[in-house]
Structures are given as C-alpha cells and as structure tokens.
Amino acid sequence: MTVVQTCALPIIPDWGFSCLVESDDQKILFDTGAKAEVLAGNMKKLGIDLFQIDAVFISHDHWDHTGGLAAVLEKNQVPVFVPESFADDSVMPGIIRIREPLEIAKNIYSTGELKQIEQSLVIRLENDEVTVVAGCSHPGVEEILGAASVFGKVTTLVGGLHGFQDFELIDDLKRICPTHCTQYINEIAARYPEKVIPGGAGKVIVLQR
C-alpha cells in the first residue's frame, strides 16, 4: 500500500533537494538542500526534530545538495555518509566515505559511489521490494537501478533524474516520483499517469507491505 500526502502548511520550495527517510528505528536526512535557513524552516513546520536525526546521507558534492549540511552538524554531530569523491570534510568529524555498496542501517543501503560522483540510497521493504532515492542521477538511471537491484526488486524511484529520457527503463516500476532537476517531468507523467507521484516541498510518501 502507498499513502501519499502533501503538507498543508506553507512549506518553502527552493532549488535543491533534501528529504527525510524514516524506518522503524532510523531517521536519515538525505541531502540538505541549497540553503540552511530553508531547510531549518521547513523541518520546523513539518515537525521534524533535528536532534532525532540519526545520520545524514549526501548523494553528491554539489551546492544544492549540501547547502544546509554545516548548519545541521553544528547542532547535531551525527555520522555523515558521503561518496568517496566528496571534496571537503572540514566540518564533518563523523564523515564516512563510501566507495562500495554498504548497509548503513537495517535494510537501508548505499549503492556505493557510481561513476566517481554520486551514490543513491536504497530502502528494502519486508517483501524484498526496494525503493531508490536519487539526488540527481548523474551516473545515469540505468546505472543506479542496476546497482540497487542487488538488494531486491526495484519498484519505486524517487528524486532528481536530470535529463533522463530512456523511459523504457522504468516501465516495470510501480511508482516514480521525479523531482528537483528532472527535465522531463511532464513527459514522464504523461507516459505513466498511473504510477507517477508528483513531488515537491512537503510531499510525504509512505510505503507499506
């Protein structure tokens, strides 16, 4: 079952990407957007307590995904999982560089750094279906889905897809939520109206068995 909700509060949209991934026992902040003040304000409106975040996962070292990182760590020095190519660890005493696929929490994994630029997050559900969260898909959607399929059957893809238009690669997905930098959102929505979840600031997606 999939539950989709949009927050009724005045959440501030901005260029960049950040989302909170919650499991039964973990809260992982995926990327931190472009601006610390926007991230902090939206988290407050959504009732997300920064001090309950267990870890930060950075997809890649671009400003619109790391803008709020230093501010987060000033208040809560949690582990920070970054791809090996991440340039600066001066503000991250708990930095963990990732090259190969890695389980970072129970049923939550990194694909490993792909094409020396980006990692994606993989969440495995109880039925061995997996959801992939991507920052910008710079390595390519095919590469990301292939890496994620090691952990189970990929059924859901959420995040930025950049210039992706090899749409047959997502024919078998159950759900797709194209966000952020995705250039062909309208085309994806028109081709897959039954499986597209419109993204945006404050969107909540609950995946259950």
Side-chain angles (χ1 to χ4, degrees), residues 66 69-71 73-74 77-78 80 86 88-95:
T66 63
L69 181 57
L73 295 179
E74 283 178 5
Q77 292 191 359
V78 295
V80 182
F86 196 90
D88 183 15
D89 61 358
S90 60
V91 298
M92 293 181 288
I95 186 172

Side-chain angles (χ1 to χ4, degrees), residues 83-85 98-99 111-119:
E84 189 176 51
S85 61
I98 296 180
R99 174 188 290 180
T111 58
E113 185 179 53
L114 303 176
K115 295 189 176 178
Q116 298 181 312
I117 185 172
E118 186 172 343
Q119 61 177 342

Side-chain angles (χ1 to χ4, degrees), residues 11-67:
I11 304 300
I12 298 174
D14 189 34
W15 180 260
F17 188 67
S18 180
C19 70
L20 181 67
V21 174
E22 294 187 78
S23 66
D24 291 338
D25 55 2
Q26 288 285 311
K27 292 185 179 181
I28 298 173
L29 185 62
F30 180 103
D31 289 348
T32 61
K35 299 173 185 171
E37 62 273 20
V38 172
L39 178 67
N42 285 343
M43 288 179 69
K44 183 176 181 179
K45 292 173 184 175
L46 290 166
I48 299 171
D49 185 350
L50 178 60
F51 293 100
Q52 291 184 356
I53 301 297
D54 296 297
V56 175
F57 183 98
I58 297 295
S59 63
H60 62 297
D61 191 8
H62 286 177
W63 65 273
D64 50 344
H65 296 258
T66 63

